[in-house]
Amino acid sequence: MRPDDWHLTEDVDDFLARAGEFLRSRPALHTTPLTTIEKLRTHGAQAFGTPAPVLGRLERAGKVHATFSLIRGLGLTHLTPEHADTLAAHLAALGHSLPFVSADHETATAFAEAWQRRTGATPTLRDRIRLYRLGALTPPTPAPEGRARPVREQDREQLMLLLREFTTDVREAVTIDAGSWAGTRFADKHFTFWETPDGTPASMAGATTMVAGMVRVDPVYTPAHLRGRGYAGAVTAEVSRAALTAGATDVVLYADPANPTSNALYQRLGYLPLAEWAVYDFASAEPGAG
């Protein structure tokens, strides 16, 4: 395919009209673009701040083969090395700067290599992530003491405290307080606490709003001093069960493949590995430097 087979737009409705069916065709693999585009659709072009997002689709003879979103960094659906190279050429020619690329490992690696050839920017692997999809849910038996309950508005301070601990643990640079809450990636999630019999929140799990029958569980967190007691498994199972009850056909989550504890936990609950993800940072983002 040629670079001019890539069609770029800032119009979310136009993008969805042309590429929505493609994204909905594989909701588990397309979990991130589906939730990203849904946030743009519901909150407008400024949902992720400035500059305005750039959306693209790879289309030929009326068929969409891939999509991308350029929002802070570049997010891609699966591409062949050839398609990755044509996209890199197209974006470089248009003068776009890319702080990072995120995609399945094969695609991210192919694009990072193509971007380096086209611009001279040096890619550095920042993260490896594993995408899981729920098969048959198997809740932990016995469940730990306590119960699951939805996080309420009056729990916001406690929730933000746990999220600050979570983002520190995963080295995610973000400010979470009353003033910044609406602009965080957590504001649109639906959260559940697992609380001990005395009402203390012992673990939490979030979930996205259902899109194309898909719900993503994110994040899951237990404070360090409460780990090893089954709380994370219990709250993850409860959020997963709620998604299935609501009609979800695909329940997915991401995990750090370097963390054997969380990966073993999710697999015990019935989650099956679906894809390996990668994020590459670019040391220099100056198109045309190569």
Side-chain angles (χ1 to χ4, degrees):
M1 290 188 172
R2 308 178 304 271
D4 58 4
D5 290 321
W6 283 99
H7 303 272
L8 280 58
T9 183
E10 295 182 3
D11 187 324
V12 177
D13 291 333
D14 176 69
F15 176 79
L16 272 175
R18 299 174 184 275
E21 182 179 355
F22 166 78
L23 291 174
R24 292 188 295 269
S25 68
R26 306 183 77 181
L29 281 175
H30 296 162
T31 174
T32 297
L34 281 169
T35 54
T36 297
I37 300 305
E38 180 64 11
K39 186 169 184 175
L40 288 172
R41 187 188 69 81
T42 55
H43 295 282
Q46 301 306 310
F48 294 93
T50 56
V54 178
L55 307 173
R57 70 187 190 280
L58 180 63
E59 182 177 332
R60 198 170 194 183
K63 182 178 181 181
V64 175
H65 297 266
T67 68
F68 77 80
S69 59
L70 180 49
I71 305 171
R72 299 174 183 164
L74 183 68
L76 300 170
T77 61
H78 182 73
L79 296 176
T80 66
E82 177 189 1
H83 295 164
D85 188 65
T86 60
L87 178 59
H90 197 45
L91 293 178
L94 292 172
H96 286 288
S97 294
L98 302 181
F100 64 86
V101 62
S102 174
D104 67 87
H105 188 267
E106 178 183 342
T107 296
T109 301
F111 183 87
E113 293 171 351
W115 191 247
Q116 183 174 28
R117 288 194 303 270
R118 298 288 181 173
T119 69
T122 302
T124 302
L125 181 62
R126 184 212 311 171
D127 289 314
R128 293 288 296 271
I129 313 166
R130 183 165 295 146
L131 176 63
Y132 285 91
R133 179 182 182 276
L134 183 62
L137 178 62
T138 307
T141 304
E145 289 189 334
R147 68 185 182 100
R149 70 165 178 86
V151 173
R152 302 180 291 259
E153 184 62 32
Q154 55 265 40
D155 301 315
R156 178 68 61 82
E157 286 296 327
Q158 180 65 50
L159 174 63
M160 289 193 295
L161 173 63
L162 290 174
L163 285 170
R164 284 193 290 270
E165 294 178 8
F166 164 74
T167 54
T168 298
D169 273 10
V170 299
R171 302 183 303 280
E172 184 175 333
V174 61
T175 299
I176 302 175
D177 55 30
S180 64
W181 174 253
T184 69
R185 71 180 183 89
F186 306 108
D188 296 333
K189 304 285 177 62
H190 310 283
F191 284 91
T192 298
F193 282 154
W194 187 273
E195 61 181 19
T196 58
D198 66 1
T200 301
S203 190
M204 69 167 185
T208 61
T209 297
M210 192 186 310
V211 184
M214 180 277 304
V215 170
R216 186 171 69 251
V217 178
D218 171 51
V220 177
Y221 179 71
T222 303
H225 68 285
L226 294 172
R227 292 172 190 168
R229 307 181 192 186
Y231 298 136
V235 75
T236 302
E238 174 59 25
V239 169
S240 304
R241 182 202 61 75
L244 294 173
T245 300
T249 55
D250 292 89
V251 183
V252 301
L253 56 77
Y254 287 113
D256 178 358
N259 186 332
T261 300
S262 61
N263 283 265
L265 167 63
Y266 296 140
Q267 291 182 60
R268 287 197 301 273
L269 294 177
Y271 281 88
L272 305 173
L274 182 63
E276 300 294 320
W277 229 253
V279 180
Y280 285 91
D281 288 324
F282 294 112
S284 171
E286 296 298 329

